[in-house]
Amino acid sequence: MRKNIVAGNWKMNLKRDEGLDLINDVINLLPSDNKVEVVFAPSFIHLYKVNKMCLNLDKVNTASQNVSKEERGAFTGEISAEIIRSANVKYTIIGHSERREYFKETNEDLKQKVDVSLENNLEVIFCCGESLDQREEEVHFNWIKIQISESLFHLSSDDFRKIIIAYEPIWAIGTGVTASSDQAEEIHKFIREIIAQKYGDEIANNTSILYGGSCNPTNARDIFSKDNIDGGLIGGASLNAESFVEIIKSF
Ligand code: 13P
């Protein structure tokens, strides 16, 4: 079902006490009539505790920032979908541009991560997005289509329903430069169209597509007002309870 989601990707930030304080502060500041699904994506080591703190709260869930493409076994340092799911975590983020760039994750790797996640009942927040060079060369539409089709379009319709897309233009991540709401809407609309071509209108209209990249309390309302933008994947501004909750309240 298409829902509005605001997810906080903490990346490699916040020590244990800082993270737990942040969760408590966000929970205290959340409006009682909150209609948005809130997702916290802390470091793996905090995930179990954060999830326990959120367990009895309505519309508050957790995500891992990454997942192994392997099912299980001798892969020192990796964390599998079944281990993540065994801590009752609902989502995993897959394909963040930082994973693609710094850890050389390919579309094929991400496809395997998607498959092993869904097999273990872990729903997927799948990231895509172009670099500044690609936008300037006007290959960004095609690039995003390749990212999505090579990692997701082998899925059955039923499995595709468990996918959330996050469009995160690399040039807007952590830079303070946000895509304008019109630029973001143009890509979100395109993503919904390619999903419709593959899976039909009903599934496309029910897919949540989030925007990420320097989203903050000042620009969130404008971005979220667009027809095809169903929420945000927030980095820096999710590390502060007031700014994260302001973004949540922007719907
Ligand atoms: P910023 O909000 O810090 O630009 O990060 C966006 C992001 O990468 C979320 O996954």
Side-chain angles (χ1 to χ4, degrees):
M1 200 190 65
R2 183 160 164 191
K3 30 184 192 185
N4 293 326
I5 300 171
V6 174
N9 175 9
W10 295 3
K11 307 191 181 184
M12 200 171 72
N13 294 296
L14 302 183
K15 291 177 284 187
R16 180 179 162 92
D17 288 353
E18 295 167 336
L20 303 190
D21 284 351
L22 177 65
I23 299 288
N24 278 324
D25 291 346
V26 171
I27 290 170
N28 287 333
L29 289 169
L30 270 184
S32 53
D33 62 346
N34 172 44
K35 294 184 183 59
V36 178
E37 182 172 347
V38 177
V39 178
F40 294 106
S43 303
F44 272 122
I45 198 160
H46 305 328
L47 200 48
Y48 178 71
K49 177 69 180 169
V50 168
N51 196 62
K52 265 189 121 174
M53 292 168 80
C54 300
L55 219 48
N56 295 321
L57 298 169
D58 192 30
K59 298 195 206 69
V60 182
N61 287 299
T62 51
S64 66
Q65 297 175 15
N66 185 27
V67 59
S68 175
K69 66 179 180 179
E70 306 294 344
E71 181 85 42
R72 72 177 69 81
F75 300 99
T76 301
E78 287 287 273
I79 302 188
S80 69
E82 70 175 3
I83 293 172
I84 297 167
R85 189 61 198 140
S86 73
N88 287 316
V89 173
K90 183 173 180 187
Y91 298 108
T92 180
I93 298 172
I94 291 179
H96 193 283
S97 60
E98 289 149 16
R99 301 288 324 166
R100 294 175 186 265
E101 184 180 351
Y102 306 140
F103 303 95
K104 306 288 172 238
E105 294 186 0
T106 65
N107 291 342
E108 175 59 31
D109 293 329
L110 303 178
K111 177 182 179 197
Q112 290 177 39
K113 290 184 179 215
V114 168
D115 286 344
V116 77
S117 297
L118 296 180
E119 279 160 21
N120 286 282
N121 296 319
L122 203 51
E123 296 181 36
V124 171
I125 301 173
F126 182 84
C127 303
C128 59
E130 80 285 359
S131 66
L132 188 57
D133 283 351
Q134 287 169 323
R135 179 164 277 264
E136 284 172 353
E137 288 162 19
E138 296 181 8
V139 296
H140 49 303
F141 287 99
N142 198 39
W143 176 254
I144 288 163
K145 186 172 184 180
I146 289 169
Q147 287 184 316
I148 290 178
S149 59
E150 289 191 356
S151 299
L152 297 177
F153 278 1
H154 63 291
L155 295 175
S156 68
S157 299
D158 278 351
D159 277 345
F160 195 85
R161 289 179 194 278
K162 297 166 199 151
I163 303 290
I164 292 160
I165 306 277
Y167 167 58
E168 298 205 312
I170 296 169
W171 47 273
I173 296 177
T175 58
V177 181
T178 327
S180 71
S181 54
D182 287 338
Q183 280 174 319
E185 170 65 8
E186 182 185 36
I187 300 288
H188 282 232
K189 186 164 177 286
F190 170 74
I191 291 171
R192 208 175 296 287
E193 279 165 7
I194 59 174
I195 296 170
Q197 282 161 17
K198 173 72 184 170
Y199 292 103
D201 286 343
E202 191 265 323
I203 288 188
N205 289 332
N206 278 300
T207 302
S208 297
I209 308 178
L210 316 182
Y211 169 78
S214 297
C215 191
N216 61 46
T218 310
N219 58 32
R221 193 172 297 277
D222 178 33
I223 294 171
F224 296 165
S225 70
K226 297 292 179 184
D227 285 351
N228 287 290
I229 301 183
D230 305 308
L233 182 53
I234 318 298
S238 75
L239 302 177
N240 174 280
E242 284 79 17
S243 61
F244 190 50
V245 172
E246 278 311 306
I247 294 172
I248 293 165
K249 292 193 323 200
S250 300
F251 267 103

